[in-house]
Amino acid sequence: MEKKLSARTNFILTVIFVLFMVFLLYLASKYMDSYKLRVVRLIAIYGIMAVSLNLINGITGIFSLGHAGFILIGAYTASLLTLSPEQKAMSFIIEPIVPWLANVHTDFLTATLAGGALAAVFAFLIGWPVLRLSGDYLAIASLGFAEVIRIVALNAISITNGPLGLKGIPEYSNIWWCYGWLFVTVLFTASLVNSSYGRALKAVREDRIAAEAMGINVFKHQLLSFVIGAFFAGVSGSLYAHWLTTIDPRITTLGPMLTFYVLIMIVLGGLGSISGSLIGAALFAILFEWLRDLEEPFTFFGIHVPGIKGMRILVISAIFILVMIFWQRGIMGREELTWNNLYRWLFARRKGGEKK
Amino acid sequence: MVFFLQNLFNGIMLGGLYALIAIGYTMVYGILRLINFAHGDVMMMGVYFAFYAATLLSLSPLLSAVVAILGAALLGFLIDRVAYKPLRNAPRISALITAIGVSFFLESLAVVIFGAIPKSFLNVFKDRTILNKVLIVAGARIPLLTFLVIFITAVILVVLFFIVYRTKIGMAMRAISMDIPTTSLMGVNVDAVIGFTFALGSALAAASGIMWAMRFPNVHPYMGFMPGLKAFIAAVFGGIGSIPGAVLGGVLLGLIEIFLAAYFPSVMGYRDAFAFIILIIILLVKPSGLLGKKIVEKV
């Protein structure tokens, strides 16, 4: 019988860990320069995106490529709600904004919740047709739906300002909002995964036909996971928009490219592991910023290398392919970084030796 | 009538281009059950090969096309060897994710090597008179280019059908799509045949890409994304795995797109969204496509 930590120890350790993180974040917000702080905030935003996509892809096994669509909905909804009426009147140049949106103005929390809620509603509507498909078809259909959302954002000029996008979004996403939402996302997702719903979701991932035969309503569970994932994607979209301060519906900003980025994070971290997603998101954000140096001119052992644009995406995609070929499990596989597992990894080997 | 005729020819031309790309998808899917996400990007690389063969090496347009097609075929073969072959026995989802990675890689490679700024494909032609010629058919003014593209596409299709249905390697391809282990027991070199399939599909994509660039001369690293997705939809439309299905699906998709945009100009901006809506409807109504076979999933 394997020794486990009691629920109480577990809880206390978690509280201590959270308090410690809060302290670290406080130190960071006090002593880090604004550029580093930007990356730190981005890690949390990427973390929410990765955990929400991981709930859909890794835990439920719905291979959805439509995440950017939900992020876009959240970003636009929240930005339209936090922009002041004057700013909206100023930036809508091609066509004036629709009257019912012109004068709405709310605080950041309401806007973020609205962004998440609208993304969830869309996920519900899209889920009805898309989740009847499976495997590759589902991947393409969800990618298609995300593209449809993007194309609508590009053409519904009186609502979204079309290709010009929205500018001057207030930079509300400070470190506490980002990490607060990350905490809520992780807590909610982890409790969901550990509930009976979570076990059903995993059963659907392993074999949907067998799960169906066991009496699990596959469609209902998939839809649930899809909608919850989309809600947090919408939330992350709101945070992302208030981090970027400028959004537009190009392929490279809120289009399929973003979905691929999030996919890289969760594959790198391990499909099906929440803590893996967080590690993947952090690694991706740091790597992506660090590789920025590659695009600057630099001198390597006396050889002058001119800066090449696009180099960092090339390096990232090469790493991605290599991970898929040689190390498909990613960093965490399907394991979670829990106190119990930490305890086991740290002390199990010694225990095993004693038994002999 | 004149308007109809004009759009009919445009639709057939666009459909033909979709069909050529869709064949590459359908052949690979038929054999490996893999959506080769990178297919549209191979097409993009083919266009760049042609562009640089003509402008840097100053080859004639026809010769550049040959260089581009061979280059794309080699690229397709290499992609299979490097990225997909190690994953033959892995779960299908791993191969799909890798395909996305390869697509990503090719796009960023194009940004690094060729630059992100769009280039005009018209620079390939020193003599542009052939591009500007217009034929008048029953009152409709139709560019000669449209006929040229339709004709070339038809010729390529005839050659392709000959390869697949009348040659030994075509027979091997069809056998592999039925059952890989049995075919390998029969003494067929499965990997070589799969490599050949990738090369053939990529060559078709490059040919299609060059004609695409003649019609829409804006060459940039992300140009393969949309045609690639739509060609995949065309392949699903016609029944994935079936080559005649891919041709039928491609032509129908092209016609639907052109006619919707022509008769409902107010939805012009949403043109790219039609294909996806068509895809969802097909998948819901007839998942196996127009000419596909029904596959029953078992535990």
Side-chain angles (χ1 to χ4, degrees):
Chain A
M1 188 67 197
E2 197 183 315
K3 199 181 168 198
K4 273 192 174 174
L5 299 172
S6 71
R8 226 183 93 172
T9 332
N10 232 325
F11 181 73
I12 292 170
L13 279 171
T14 309
V15 169
I16 293 172
F17 177 72
V18 169
L19 288 176
F20 180 63
M21 283 309 289
V22 169
F23 178 66
L24 278 186
L25 288 176
Y26 171 75
L27 285 184
S29 70
K30 202 127 198 205
Y31 296 108
M32 269 186 172
D33 59 52
S34 65
Y35 171 68
K36 274 184 191 147
L37 215 54
R38 244 180 111 70
V39 179
V40 169
R41 274 149 50 205
L42 185 63
I43 290 175
I45 298 172
Y46 277 162
I48 302 173
M49 289 179 190
V51 170
S52 58
L53 184 63
N54 197 14
L55 175 68
I56 301 175
N57 278 15
I59 290 160
T60 322
I62 309 168
F63 196 73
S64 161
L65 292 178
H67 221 53
F70 301 131
I71 295 173
L72 186 144
I73 291 176
Y76 268 93
T77 312
S79 309
L80 283 170
L81 288 176
T82 53
L83 277 172
S84 67
E86 299 83 51
Q87 271 175 312
K88 275 186 247 183
M90 246 168 48
S91 55
F92 278 67
I93 310 166
I94 317 176
E95 258 179 55
I97 189 166
V98 281
W100 50 271
L101 256 177
N103 290 315
V104 237
H105 185 64
T106 60
D107 60 303
F108 186 41
L109 179 66
T110 322
T112 305
L113 286 172
L118 200 66
V121 169
F122 266 85
F124 187 75
L125 296 176
I126 292 170
W128 279 101
V130 169
L131 293 175
R132 291 179 195 282
L133 312 171
S134 61
D136 312 336
Y137 289 131
L138 200 152
I140 288 286
S142 53
L143 181 66
F145 259 120
E147 270 299 285
V148 170
I149 292 173
R150 196 178 68 80
I151 290 165
V152 170
L154 204 61
N155 286 289
I157 296 174
S158 55
I159 299 177
T160 60
N161 205 16
L164 292 182
L166 300 173
K167 287 184 193 70
I169 304 165
E171 203 174 344
Y172 283 140
S173 301
N174 62 22
I175 206 162
W176 303 113
W177 277 121
C178 293
Y179 279 87
W181 272 112
L182 179 66
F183 181 71
V184 172
T185 310
V186 171
L187 197 69
F188 188 89
T189 312
S191 339
L192 181 79
V193 170
N194 289 326
S195 71
S196 62
Y197 270 112
R199 280 190 284 280
L201 295 180
K202 285 181 195 158
V204 171
R205 167 185 74 190
E206 295 305 328
D207 192 327
R208 54 180 288 161
I209 295 167
E212 193 127 46
M214 296 297 288
I216 293 171
N217 186 339
V218 171
F219 180 70
K220 210 178 94 188
H221 280 84
Q222 283 188 331
L223 195 61
L224 178 91
S225 157
F226 201 57
V227 168
I228 294 173
F231 174 82
F232 286 113
V235 167
S236 72
S238 162
L239 293 167
Y240 195 48
H242 292 86
W243 179 85
L244 281 170
T245 68
T246 309
I247 51 174
D248 62 63
R250 265 179 308 176
I251 287 187
T252 39
T253 45
L254 284 168
M257 212 66 144
L258 185 62
T259 304
F260 296 162
Y261 286 165
V262 185
L263 192 68
I264 292 174
M265 295 172 210
I266 62 173
V267 166
L268 202 63
L271 267 174
S273 163
I274 297 172
S275 36
S277 300
L278 294 178
I279 297 171
L283 266 181
F284 183 86
I286 293 166
L287 199 66
F288 213 51
E289 283 307 315
W290 181 60
L291 286 176
R292 205 179 274 280
D293 289 349
L294 273 184
E295 299 189 356
E296 307 285 325
F298 62 94
T299 314
F300 186 71
F301 289 117
I303 305 160
H304 185 72
V305 184
I308 305 166
K309 222 178 156 288
M311 202 61 196
R312 57 181 180 151
I313 305 180
L314 186 69
V315 172
I316 291 233
S317 48
I319 294 175
F320 183 52
I321 297 173
L322 291 177
V323 166
M324 279 320 293
I325 295 176
F326 296 109
W327 195 32
Q328 284 174 40
R329 290 175 63 256
I331 294 167
M332 296 295 294
R334 280 180 183 171
E335 297 276 345
E336 288 294 349
L337 200 63
T338 59
W339 299 117
N340 265 325
N341 282 345
L342 263 184
Y343 181 74
R344 214 181 61 216
W345 293 333
L346 287 177
F347 301 109
R349 203 172 298 145
R350 205 179 303 159
K351 279 260 169 73
E354 275 170 17
K355 265 176 203 162
K356 272 179 186 172
Chain B
M1 186 60 201
V2 170
F3 187 63
F4 174 81
L5 211 63
Q6 214 147 11
N7 285 304
L8 182 72
F9 276 103
N10 275 335
I12 294 178
M13 187 201 82
L14 187 65
L17 296 183
Y18 284 152
L20 285 186
I21 315 176
I23 289 167
Y25 272 115
T26 227
M27 287 196 303
V28 167
Y29 194 89
I31 290 178
L32 293 178
R33 299 278 172 275
L34 164 74
I35 300 177
N36 183 12
F37 255 99
H39 197 60
D41 300 302
V42 172
M43 167 194 143
M44 173 270 295
M45 290 301 252
V47 175
Y48 270 108
F49 291 159
F51 180 83
Y52 281 106
T55 52
L56 277 187
L57 308 177
S58 44
L59 298 177
S60 72
L62 199 65
L63 210 57
S64 327
V66 172
V67 169
I69 289 170
L70 291 179
L74 184 66
L75 182 67
F77 178 79
L78 280 179
I79 289 173
D80 172 53
R81 272 296 137 91
V82 174
Y84 301 149
K85 196 174 165 231
L87 293 168
R88 287 268 201 273
N89 298 318
R92 271 173 55 200
I93 215 79
S94 310
L96 184 64
I97 297 174
T98 311
I100 293 173
V102 173
S103 153
F104 208 50
F105 181 81
L106 289 180
E107 279 169 15
S108 29
L109 191 69
V111 171
V112 167
I113 301 179
F114 309 126
I117 302 154
K119 295 183 164 61
S120 172
F121 196 71
L122 294 180
N123 294 344
V124 167
F125 303 94
K126 285 191 192 73
D127 176 23
R128 291 182 194 168
T129 43
I130 193 164
L131 296 173
N132 299 329
K133 265 201 186 118
V134 173
L135 290 187
I136 296 172
V137 182
R141 293 171 60 82
I142 294 160
L144 181 67
L145 187 64
T146 308
F147 286 106
L148 202 66
V149 169
I150 295 174
F151 175 73
I152 297 173
T153 308
V155 171
I156 293 176
L157 286 179
V158 170
V159 173
L160 177 84
F161 275 87
F162 178 79
I163 294 176
V164 174
Y165 292 101
R166 288 283 181 276
T167 61
K168 220 167 182 180
I169 191 138
M171 192 197 258
M173 280 161 62
R174 282 178 292 139
I176 285 179
S177 75
M178 295 283 171
D179 189 338
I180 291 183
T182 313
T183 313
S184 71
L185 286 176
M186 301 303 226
V188 174
N189 183 346
V190 172
D191 277 325
V193 177
I194 292 176
F196 177 75
T197 311
F198 267 93
L200 187 60
S202 306
L204 292 178
S208 173
I210 292 165
M211 291 191 275
W212 183 280
M214 279 156 71
R215 181 73 181 72
F216 311 100
N218 202 12
V219 183
H220 58 96
Y222 302 103
M223 66 176 289
F225 181 73
M226 257 303 157
L229 268 185
K230 284 193 190 155
F232 176 76
I233 292 170
V236 174
F237 194 1
I240 199 147
S242 148
I243 294 177
V247 177
L248 182 67
V251 173
L252 279 178
L253 189 68
L255 284 172
I256 293 172
E257 221 184 282
I258 292 285
F259 274 104
L260 273 176
Y263 284 96
F264 303 95
S266 59
V267 293
M268 190 68 183
Y270 296 95
R271 224 178 106 169
D272 286 341
F274 295 149
F276 297 111
I277 293 160
I278 294 171
L279 170 76
I280 304 284
I281 297 172
I282 300 156
L283 287 176
L284 293 177
V285 177
K286 201 170 186 304
S288 51
L290 294 174
L291 301 181
K293 291 183 211 79
K294 204 169 159 43
I295 303 163
V296 182
E297 226 180 315
K298 286 180 195 161
V299 178

